[in-house]
Amino acid sequence: MTFSITGRCVETGMFGVAISTSSINVGSRCPHSRAGVGAVATQNITDPHLARLVLDEMEAGYSAQEAISRITENREFIDYRQLTAVDTAGTTAHFTGTHILGTHTVHQARDCVAAGNLLSSAHVPKAMTAGFNQDPTAHLADRLLSGLEAGIAAGGEAGPVHSAALIVSDKMPFYLVDLRIDWDEDDPVAKLRQHWQAYAPQMQDYLNRAINPTAAPSYGVAGDP
């Protein structure tokens, strides 16, 4: 009931996740990243805490594969979980339990890993990694969205999706990009693309407001000179 792409930009060191699912508010549970550390997606019957644990392990110096192995070993209910991760070396890793729903598969490529469950086809993750790597010069957010859109074009889930999310970490402890469509009856991935297109021209201004408000433009609202 979920498909995602987790990736890294080798040029900038950014990490991120793009994801969509049939249930509400996927962005609150499934995509996770940490500046200078990596990115993780946790899905199927989701335990969001697992992502933080994997990121903690990677921050402690373990590779993505080592981190996932350490977190999944002998963990209760782990057979209901699906995890993906990418680390600072661009190494990717994944875990898929034995109780994952429907058609499920994973595909790893350069600096990215895509995974899904309850898919319309086992070919969806491979299409997503191809979409991600189609333009390596693009902003990571664009590349992640391209991967997600390629997954939709390849058939996506077996049923309709209703929420989607996009996160990107750069150098700050907060997300550079954190966009969500919590519920949409028709096409949350298309709405997510529209949100990114609206946000991208303002992204640096919002970052400047956090780093140095004197360098940021006014908000352009009443009472703000």
Side-chain angles (χ1 to χ4, degrees):
M1 57 184 174
T2 307
F3 55 102
S4 67
I5 182 149
T6 304
R8 175 189 78 137
C9 175
V10 67
E11 297 297 329
T12 64
M14 294 180 185
F15 295 98
V17 180
I19 190 166
S20 186
T21 192
S22 57
S23 59
I24 194 169
N25 199 14
V26 68
S28 70
R29 302 182 302 276
C30 297
H32 306 262
S33 64
R34 189 176 299 172
V37 176
V40 178
T42 173
Q43 54 199 50
N44 194 64
I45 300 176
T46 308
D47 179 0
H49 183 56
L50 296 180
R52 195 188 80 179
L53 294 175
V54 172
L55 288 167
D56 286 348
E57 293 292 318
M58 291 197 293
E59 190 166 20
Y62 293 100
S63 69
Q65 184 59 66
E66 290 168 335
I68 284 182
S69 296
R70 287 170 62 86
I71 293 307
T72 57
E73 186 177 8
N74 299 323
R75 184 169 296 274
E76 189 177 19
F77 304 125
I78 198 62
D79 283 336
Y80 295 89
R81 320 301 185 187
Q82 188 175 49
L83 298 167
T84 62
V86 60
D87 59 29
T88 55
T91 303
T92 60
H94 61 90
F95 172 86
T96 297
T98 58
H99 295 328
I100 304 303
L101 299 169
T103 297
H104 54 84
T105 189
V106 179
H107 191 264
Q108 296 168 285
R110 180 182 177 186
D111 295 311
C112 68
V113 53
N117 53 81
L118 275 181
L119 296 171
S120 65
S121 163
H123 301 296
V124 171
K126 185 175 182 179
M128 295 176 75
T129 60
F132 175 86
N133 280 316
Q134 186 172 6
D135 183 5
T137 66
H139 192 281
L140 182 62
D142 273 310
R143 298 179 67 191
L144 290 165
L145 276 172
S146 293
L148 196 61
E149 290 163 342
I152 290 286
E157 278 195 39
V161 293
H162 293 299
S163 67
L166 170 67
I167 60 166
V168 173
S169 292
D170 189 10
K171 298 176 177 62
M172 304 300 289
F174 51 84
Y175 291 149
L176 176 67
V177 180
D178 186 0
L179 302 175
R180 302 178 184 182
I181 306 300
D182 287 340
W183 183 265
D184 184 79
E185 290 286 350
D186 300 318
D187 195 343
V189 175
K191 294 285 196 323
L192 187 62
R193 170 63 78 174
Q194 293 170 7
H195 277 42
W196 165 243
Q197 290 172 336
Y199 183 71
Q202 308 176 68
M203 180 173 60
Q204 188 61 47
D205 292 341
Y206 282 105
L207 182 61
N208 286 340
R209 286 167 184 156
I211 297 172
N212 179 9
T214 65
S218 68
Y219 284 87
V221 297
D224 185 20

PDB file of all heavy atoms in Angstrom, residues 56-70:
ATOM      1  N   ASP A  56      20.189   6.799  13.633  1.00  0.00           N
ATOM      2  CA  ASP A  56      21.129   6.856  14.766  1.00  0.00           C
ATOM      3  C   ASP A  56      22.325   5.934  14.527  1.00  0.00           C
ATOM      4  O   ASP A  56      23.470   6.301  14.819  1.00  0.00           O
ATOM      5  CB  ASP A  56      20.429   6.450  16.066  1.00  0.00           C
ATOM      6  CG  ASP A  56      19.488   7.520  16.598  1.00  0.00           C
ATOM      7  OD1 ASP A  56      19.536   8.669  16.111  1.00  0.00           O
ATOM      8  OD2 ASP A  56      18.687   7.187  17.493  1.00  0.00           O
ATOM      9  N   GLU A  57      22.055   4.738  14.012  1.00  0.00           N
ATOM     10  CA  GLU A  57      23.135   3.792  13.735  1.00  0.00           C
ATOM     11  C   GLU A  57      24.062   4.327  12.638  1.00  0.00           C
ATOM     12  O   GLU A  57      25.293   4.220  12.742  1.00  0.00           O
ATOM     13  CB  GLU A  57      22.557   2.435  13.322  1.00  0.00           C
ATOM     14  CG  GLU A  57      21.805   1.703  14.420  1.00  0.00           C
ATOM     15  CD  GLU A  57      22.716   1.237  15.538  1.00  0.00           C
ATOM     16  OE1 GLU A  57      23.817   0.731  15.251  1.00  0.00           O
ATOM     17  OE2 GLU A  57      22.325   1.388  16.713  1.00  0.00           O
ATOM     18  N   MET A  58      23.507   4.920  11.613  1.00  0.00           N
ATOM     19  CA  MET A  58      24.334   5.476  10.548  1.00  0.00           C
ATOM     20  C   MET A  58      25.133   6.670  11.052  1.00  0.00           C
ATOM     21  O   MET A  58      26.295   6.846  10.684  1.00  0.00           O
ATOM     22  CB  MET A  58      23.472   5.852   9.346  1.00  0.00           C
ATOM     23  CG  MET A  58      22.887   4.648   8.620  1.00  0.00           C
ATOM     24  SD  MET A  58      22.280   4.991   6.937  1.00  0.00           S
ATOM     25  CE  MET A  58      20.891   6.044   7.308  1.00  0.00           C
ATOM     26  N   GLU A  59      24.534   7.469  11.910  1.00  0.00           N
ATOM     27  CA  GLU A  59      25.264   8.604  12.482  1.00  0.00           C
ATOM     28  C   GLU A  59      26.413   8.124  13.355  1.00  0.00           C
ATOM     29  O   GLU A  59      27.444   8.806  13.479  1.00  0.00           O
ATOM     30  CB  GLU A  59      24.320   9.503  13.283  1.00  0.00           C
ATOM     31  CG  GLU A  59      24.939  10.817  13.701  1.00  0.00           C
ATOM     32  CD  GLU A  59      23.931  11.830  14.177  1.00  0.00           C
ATOM     33  OE1 GLU A  59      22.811  11.440  14.557  1.00  0.00           O
ATOM     34  OE2 GLU A  59      24.259  13.036  14.169  1.00  0.00           O
ATOM     35  N   ALA A  60      26.272   6.949  13.939  1.00  0.00           N
ATOM     36  CA  ALA A  60      27.335   6.366  14.761  1.00  0.00           C
ATOM     37  C   ALA A  60      28.446   5.742  13.924  1.00  0.00           C
ATOM     38  O   ALA A  60      29.447   5.272  14.481  1.00  0.00           O
ATOM     39  CB  ALA A  60      26.751   5.317  15.696  1.00  0.00           C
ATOM     40  N   GLY A  61      28.273   5.735  12.588  1.00  0.00           N
ATOM     41  CA  GLY A  61      29.343   5.266  11.721  1.00  0.00           C
ATOM     42  C   GLY A  61      29.067   3.989  10.963  1.00  0.00           C
ATOM     43  O   GLY A  61      29.908   3.539  10.176  1.00  0.00           O
ATOM     44  N   TYR A  62      27.907   3.386  11.173  1.00  0.00           N
ATOM     45  CA  TYR A  62      27.579   2.163  10.460  1.00  0.00           C
ATOM     46  C   TYR A  62      27.032   2.477   9.067  1.00  0.00           C
ATOM     47  O   TYR A  62      26.414   3.512   8.852  1.00  0.00           O
ATOM     48  CB  TYR A  62      26.547   1.347  11.241  1.00  0.00           C
ATOM     49  CG  TYR A  62      27.080   0.793  12.535  1.00  0.00           C
ATOM     50  CD1 TYR A  62      26.806   1.416  13.753  1.00  0.00           C
ATOM     51  CD2 TYR A  62      27.876  -0.350  12.534  1.00  0.00           C
ATOM     52  CE1 TYR A  62      27.312   0.914  14.947  1.00  0.00           C
ATOM     53  CE2 TYR A  62      28.382  -0.863  13.725  1.00  0.00           C
ATOM     54  CZ  TYR A  62      28.108  -0.222  14.922  1.00  0.00           C
ATOM     55  OH  TYR A  62      28.616  -0.713  16.094  1.00  0.00           O
ATOM     56  N   SER A  63      27.280   1.583   8.119  1.00  0.00           N
ATOM     57  CA  SER A  63      26.734   1.737   6.776  1.00  0.00           C
ATOM     58  C   SER A  63      25.224   1.523   6.814  1.00  0.00           C
ATOM     59  O   SER A  63      24.662   1.039   7.808  1.00  0.00           O
ATOM     60  CB  SER A  63      27.370   0.719   5.837  1.00  0.00           C
ATOM     61  OG  SER A  63      26.930  -0.593   6.159  1.00  0.00           O
ATOM     62  N   ALA A  64      24.577   1.859   5.707  1.00  0.00           N
ATOM     63  CA  ALA A  64      23.134   1.646   5.626  1.00  0.00           C
ATOM     64  C   ALA A  64      22.780   0.180   5.868  1.00  0.00           C
ATOM     65  O   ALA A  64      21.849  -0.132   6.618  1.00  0.00           O
ATOM     66  CB  ALA A  64      22.622   2.108   4.267  1.00  0.00           C
ATOM     67  N   GLN A  65      23.527  -0.732   5.246  1.00  0.00           N
ATOM     68  CA  GLN A  65      23.237  -2.152   5.423  1.00  0.00           C
ATOM     69  C   GLN A  65      23.483  -2.600   6.859  1.00  0.00           C
ATOM     70  O   GLN A  65      22.678  -3.340   7.441  1.00  0.00           O
ATOM     71  CB  GLN A  65      24.085  -2.998   4.474  1.00  0.00           C
ATOM     72  CG  GLN A  65      23.758  -4.487   4.528  1.00  0.00           C
ATOM     73  CD  GLN A  65      22.306  -4.755   4.169  1.00  0.00           C
ATOM     74  OE1 GLN A  65      21.895  -4.538   3.034  1.00  0.00           O
ATOM     75  NE2 GLN A  65      21.518  -5.226   5.134  1.00  0.00           N
ATOM     76  N   GLU A  66      24.590  -2.158   7.439  1.00  0.00           N
ATOM     77  CA  GLU A  66      24.875  -2.516   8.825  1.00  0.00           C
ATOM     78  C   GLU A  66      23.807  -1.964   9.757  1.00  0.00           C
ATOM     79  O   GLU A  66      23.369  -2.645  10.704  1.00  0.00           O
ATOM     80  CB  GLU A  66      26.250  -1.988   9.224  1.00  0.00           C
ATOM     81  CG  GLU A  66      27.410  -2.696   8.550  1.00  0.00           C
ATOM     82  CD  GLU A  66      28.730  -1.975   8.748  1.00  0.00           C
ATOM     83  OE1 GLU A  66      28.728  -0.734   8.980  1.00  0.00           O
ATOM     84  OE2 GLU A  66      29.780  -2.646   8.672  1.00  0.00           O
ATOM     85  N   ALA A  67      23.390  -0.735   9.515  1.00  0.00           N
ATOM     86  CA  ALA A  67      22.395  -0.104  10.378  1.00  0.00           C
ATOM     87  C   ALA A  67      21.073  -0.859  10.330  1.00  0.00           C
ATOM     88  O   ALA A  67      20.466  -1.150  11.372  1.00  0.00           O
ATOM     89  CB  ALA A  67      22.202   1.349   9.967  1.00  0.00           C
ATOM     90  N   ILE A  68      20.609  -1.186   9.127  1.00  0.00           N
ATOM     91  CA  ILE A  68      19.356  -1.923   9.016  1.00  0.00           C
ATOM     92  C   ILE A  68      19.487  -3.315   9.639  1.00  0.00           C
ATOM     93  O   ILE A  68      18.573  -3.780  10.340  1.00  0.00           O
ATOM     94  CB  ILE A  68      18.914  -1.997   7.542  1.00  0.00           C
ATOM     95  CG1 ILE A  68      18.339  -0.647   7.108  1.00  0.00           C
ATOM     96  CG2 ILE A  68      17.876  -3.103   7.337  1.00  0.00           C
ATOM     97  CD1 ILE A  68      17.819  -0.607   5.689  1.00  0.00           C
ATOM     98  N   SER A  69      20.595  -3.969   9.411  1.00  0.00           N
ATOM     99  CA  SER A  69      20.789  -5.299   9.997  1.00  0.00           C
ATOM    100  C   SER A  69      20.763  -5.254  11.516  1.00  0.00           C
ATOM    101  O   SER A  69      20.157  -6.122  12.175  1.00  0.00           O
ATOM    102  CB  SER A  69      22.115  -5.891   9.514  1.00  0.00           C
ATOM    103  OG  SER A  69      22.106  -6.105   8.126  1.00  0.00           O
ATOM    104  N   ARG A  70      21.410  -4.248  12.100  1.00  0.00           N
ATOM    105  CA  ARG A  70      21.453  -4.133  13.559  1.00  0.00           C
ATOM    106  C   ARG A  70      20.069  -3.846  14.141  1.00  0.00           C
ATOM    107  O   ARG A  70      19.722  -4.358  15.218  1.00  0.00           O
ATOM    108  CB  ARG A  70      22.427  -3.025  13.959  1.00  0.00           C
ATOM    109  CG  ARG A  70      23.893  -3.408  13.761  1.00  0.00           C
ATOM    110  CD  ARG A  70      24.809  -2.202  13.926  1.00  0.00           C
ATOM    111  NE  ARG A  70      24.744  -1.625  15.258  1.00  0.00           N
ATOM    112  CZ  ARG A  70      25.474  -2.032  16.312  1.00  0.00           C
ATOM    113  NH1 ARG A  70      26.320  -3.049  16.167  1.00  0.00           N
ATOM    114  NH2 ARG A  70      25.370  -1.442  17.488  1.00  0.00           N
TER     115      ARG A  70
END
